Amino acid sequence: MSKVAVDVPSKGGFSFDLCRRNEMLTKKGLQPPSFLKTGTTIVGLIFQDGVILGADTRATEGPIVADKNCEKIHYMAPNIYCCGAGTAADTEAVTGIFPDFCVLCEDMVSSQLQLHRYHTGRESRVVTALTLLKSHLFNYQGHVQAALVLGGVDITGPHLHTIYPHGSTDTLPFATMGSGSLAAMAVFESKYHEGLNRDEGIKLVAEAICSGIFNDLGSGSNVDICVITKGHKEYLRNHMLPNPRTYVSSQGYTFSKKTEVLLTKITPLKEMVEVTEGGEAMEE
Amino acid sequence: MKFVDSFPAKNSLISCDVDSERTLYPYVTGTSVIGIKYKDGVLLAADMGGSYGSTLRYKSVARLKAVGKHSLIGASGEISDFQEILHYLDELILHDNMWDDGNSLGPKEVHNYLTRMMYNRRNKFNPLWNSLVLGGVKNGQKYLGTVSMIGVHYEDNHVATGYGNHLSRPILRDEWHENLSFEDGVKLLEKCMRVLLYRDRSAVNKLQIAKITEEEITISQPYALKTFWNFSAFQNPTAGAEGSW
């Protein structure tokens, strides 16, 4: 009689059980499952009163669209927002307040900015966010694949920066990042000029994002815009929806009749509510 | 843009000494060519740069040429391969003229000839390392097509090669329309060439625009585009962020 060995679950730590099998599969040519990337178009420009950021809303997992309407414009501070291209988890983790599997809680830049605001009692400056982000990314030597467009208005004026995965930064009047950056930059290079007003700026940003959406396969769906001016910000989520669902069946869906229902009886569960009257205060 | 990618050198079917008889990588390359159809015919634009890797070695390379009476060809990629192609086309047109039958090869025919040539070379693992744009007018019919180095060919109202596909096609898709006038067509091409000049590292500010209509073929003299670098943000870019760039 053959005995089957029983797999005892490991007590803790990393389990190396599958490493040999993964190596064997890679040798045979199997690609490991790709992580969620935001093949993207993100843009920013400086107009006369402040900064406008724009982004598309498609998140891809290889050739598949994983999220049709994701948010790529992340909050950093009340006066500073950041668009992220690259691995979705990375951009969320680097900028966001939720802990993610990539990064430790302490490194969340927006949390750090909040603490700094409490400490100093002043509005955050864009250069602070810039330095925190670039130090973080440099620390990870490019392994945190987040390419960011950071924009905001602080006491020193409007600022727009791009941050690359290895930690280098640029200070620009208009910027584009992501796979759709060339299509969007073509629009900016031909139409940007200084002294744009708010409506012209929003129109130009929307045009650049649309150029990315329609000419780049990694970008698509809708246009998100964020307008930041001195003391005021407007997050226009889904400002433009240039890809509506065109064909919807007017009759809806009907399923063919299955088994016949003979009897319907509803029995409500008895409610059990305990009311504590004048409970004692918690002891220290 | 992928011109310096080398071919799979370790192909077990082809032995080492045969490698010297195949094009492995391009050396002197031209950058994008853009073409659009307009009211009276076709307009092509290309700059005059020939890059040797990362140096802009040659700055007077004519990359737009007339072919017969009815067509214009523009090429990006390896310049020596383009010269080969022109040699073959010369022979083709010569033989066509020798028939002396009142008929002449139109752009559609030349495009097909180029496609077959490129695809056949690709099948022998010895490609002509070019992306070509072929435009022309014959009997009132406007024609604009493109062939890549692996034989991918198609025709459209506006085409581009190389970086032009990423930077110019979006603009053309937005702003091209049927029945552009000559001035509007040139303005549109200049807009695209300007973006390429700003954003393509192998572009030079010396371009030619070629026009082909039913009546005539003209290739303009080389000229330069006006560029604008005076954004106030460029004057002192790190005013708010000391120490960055």
Side-chain angles (χ1 to χ4, degrees):
Chain A
M1 245 180 34
S2 59
K3 276 207 185 132
V4 180
V6 176
D7 268 324
V8 180
S10 44
K11 292 246 169 74
F14 188 76
S15 163
F16 289 92
D17 296 337
L18 289 173
C19 286
R20 226 201 237 159
R21 163 246 191 206
N22 288 343
E23 224 182 278
M24 185 267 293
L25 283 171
T26 330
K27 244 185 234 143
K28 290 208 171 157
L30 175 78
Q31 261 97 10
S34 59
F35 30 85
L36 189 69
K37 287 202 103 190
T38 51
T40 291
T41 310
I42 47 174
V43 307
L45 60 70
I46 298 197
F47 72 112
Q48 67 191 30
D49 305 321
V51 175
I52 306 180
L53 299 173
D56 74 305
T57 61
R58 174 183 284 184
T60 51
E61 209 172 277
I64 302 170
V65 177
D67 189 348
K68 288 189 285 188
N69 209 358
C70 73
E71 280 187 30
K72 299 188 190 181
I73 305 185
H74 306 295
Y75 167 89
M76 299 284 284
N79 58 324
I80 309 174
Y81 273 76
C82 186
C83 309
T87 317
D90 285 343
T91 56
E92 285 263 341
V94 162
T95 63
I97 1 176
F98 341 96
D100 214 282
F101 34 84
C102 306
V103 192
L104 302 167
C105 308
E106 305 98 64
D107 296 327
M108 302 306 150
V109 177
S110 77
S111 315
Q112 290 175 295
L113 285 174
Q114 174 77 298
L115 287 170
H116 194 250
R117 276 202 294 285
Y118 284 138
H119 198 77
T120 57
R122 288 179 173 77
E123 193 186 54
S124 301
R125 300 194 186 189
V126 183
V127 280
T128 319
L130 180 72
T131 312
L132 289 169
L133 284 165
K134 67 151 82 181
S135 322
H136 177 83
L137 290 174
F138 182 78
N139 237 341
Y140 282 88
Q141 289 291 295
H143 289 289
V144 175
Q145 282 174 357
L148 311 165
V149 171
L150 176 74
V153 181
D154 57 31
I155 192 74
T156 51
H159 297 284
L160 179 68
H161 303 279
T162 53
I163 311 170
Y164 290 83
H166 284 264
S168 64
T169 59
D170 284 305
T171 314
L172 296 164
F174 56 92
T176 66
M177 296 281 260
S179 55
S181 63
L182 279 82
M185 186 50 87
V187 172
F188 274 171
E189 283 285 14
S190 46
K191 297 192 180 157
Y192 179 82
H193 58 86
E194 305 205 283
L196 287 163
N197 67 29
R198 190 200 128 94
D199 291 325
E200 288 174 338
I202 292 182
K203 186 159 161 288
L204 187 57
V205 167
E207 241 185 276
I209 299 290
C210 281
S211 176
I213 287 175
F214 292 117
N215 293 297
D216 174 46
L217 296 175
S219 315
S221 301
N222 317 120
V223 181
D224 282 352
I225 297 208
C226 186
V227 185
I228 310 173
T229 53
K230 194 171 166 63
H232 180 66
K233 62 131 191 288
E234 248 183 280
Y235 183 41
L236 305 166
R237 167 75 170 151
N238 286 0
H239 168 74
M240 245 178 100
L241 298 114
N243 289 302
R245 188 172 163 204
T246 8
Y247 305 109
V248 187
S249 164
S250 47
Q251 295 112 320
Y253 289 107
T254 47
F255 297 97
S256 55
K257 275 185 99 166
K258 296 276 158 45
T259 52
E260 221 183 291
V261 177
L262 295 174
L263 169 68
T264 313
K265 183 171 166 203
I266 302 174
T267 319
L269 297 169
K270 275 202 206 123
E271 268 194 42
M272 302 237 324
V273 178
E274 269 181 52
V275 180
T276 44
E277 285 163 25
E280 286 164 1
M282 260 170 64
E283 285 177 13
E284 283 181 42
Chain B
M1 0 104 228
K2 290 277 188 191
F3 289 136
V4 286
D5 262 355
S6 60
F7 250 121
K10 305 251 186 289
N11 193 325
S12 53
L13 292 170
I14 298 174
S15 57
C16 302
D17 40 9
V18 187
D19 270 0
S20 59
E21 296 174 29
R22 312 158 45 214
T23 306
L24 291 175
Y25 353 84
Y27 285 94
V28 181
T29 53
T31 183
S32 346
V33 178
I34 337 177
I36 56 172
K37 281 189 194 166
Y38 78 110
K39 185 163 56 104
D40 307 322
V42 177
L43 287 168
L44 260 62
D47 66 23
M48 301 192 74
S51 313
Y52 185 62
S54 56
T55 42
L56 285 173
R57 179 86 174 267
Y58 304 105
K59 298 197 191 170
S60 295
V61 178
R63 298 193 292 119
L64 299 172
K65 292 283 183 192
V67 179
K69 281 191 291 194
H70 302 284
S71 326
L72 270 177
I73 184 173
S76 67
E78 173 61 59
I79 300 296
S80 62
D81 282 346
F82 178 46
Q83 290 168 342
E84 267 287 278
I85 291 174
L86 290 175
H87 177 79
Y88 288 133
L89 286 174
D90 264 344
E91 253 194 79
L92 179 75
I93 300 296
L94 178 70
H95 284 249
D96 185 44
N97 288 339
M98 289 202 297
W99 281 109
D100 201 17
D101 55 2
N103 212 340
S104 48
L105 290 172
K108 205 183 267 245
E109 289 82 52
V110 178
H111 188 220
N112 189 40
Y113 177 80
L114 289 169
T115 307
R116 290 297 108 223
M117 190 165 67
M118 303 297 272
Y119 184 64
N120 267 287
R121 289 289 297 255
R122 165 260 196 198
N123 285 340
K124 296 185 208 158
F125 280 94
N126 185 15
L128 289 160
W129 209 288
N130 294 105
S131 290
L132 308 166
V133 171
L134 202 295
V137 193
K138 189 177 173 200
N139 297 337
Q141 296 276 34
K142 300 178 279 218
Y143 187 91
L144 180 61
T146 179
V147 196
S148 80
M149 78 181 198
I150 50 173
V152 174
H153 60 286
Y154 53 90
E155 40 163 319
D156 205 345
N157 292 322
H158 43 79
V159 295
T161 65
Y163 259 108
N165 270 314
H166 292 92
L167 290 166
S168 309
R169 267 338 258 298
I171 300 178
L172 293 170
R173 278 183 183 154
D174 248 353
E175 301 188 16
W176 183 91
H177 58 86
E178 200 80 54
N179 295 325
L180 279 165
S181 71
F182 174 68
E183 289 78 25
D184 284 339
V186 172
K187 250 205 229 119
L188 187 55
L189 280 179
E190 284 188 346
K191 193 181 210 182
C192 296
M193 293 301 285
R194 187 171 291 116
V195 178
L196 284 170
L197 178 61
Y198 283 139
R199 295 282 163 176
D200 178 5
R201 80 166 192 184
S202 29
V204 290
N205 197 2
K206 186 175 173 189
L207 67 140
Q208 287 180 306
I209 299 214
K211 167 175 92 149
I212 181 165
T213 61
E214 187 75 55
E215 293 85 41
E216 54 164 7
I217 303 180
T218 40
I219 303 182
S220 73
Q221 286 300 321
Y223 67 101
L225 291 170
K226 282 211 188 71
T227 55
F228 180 73
W229 296 90
N230 284 334
F231 289 118
S232 62
F234 290 168
Q235 311 305 0
N236 191 7
T238 57
E242 307 300 331
S244 54
W245 54 90

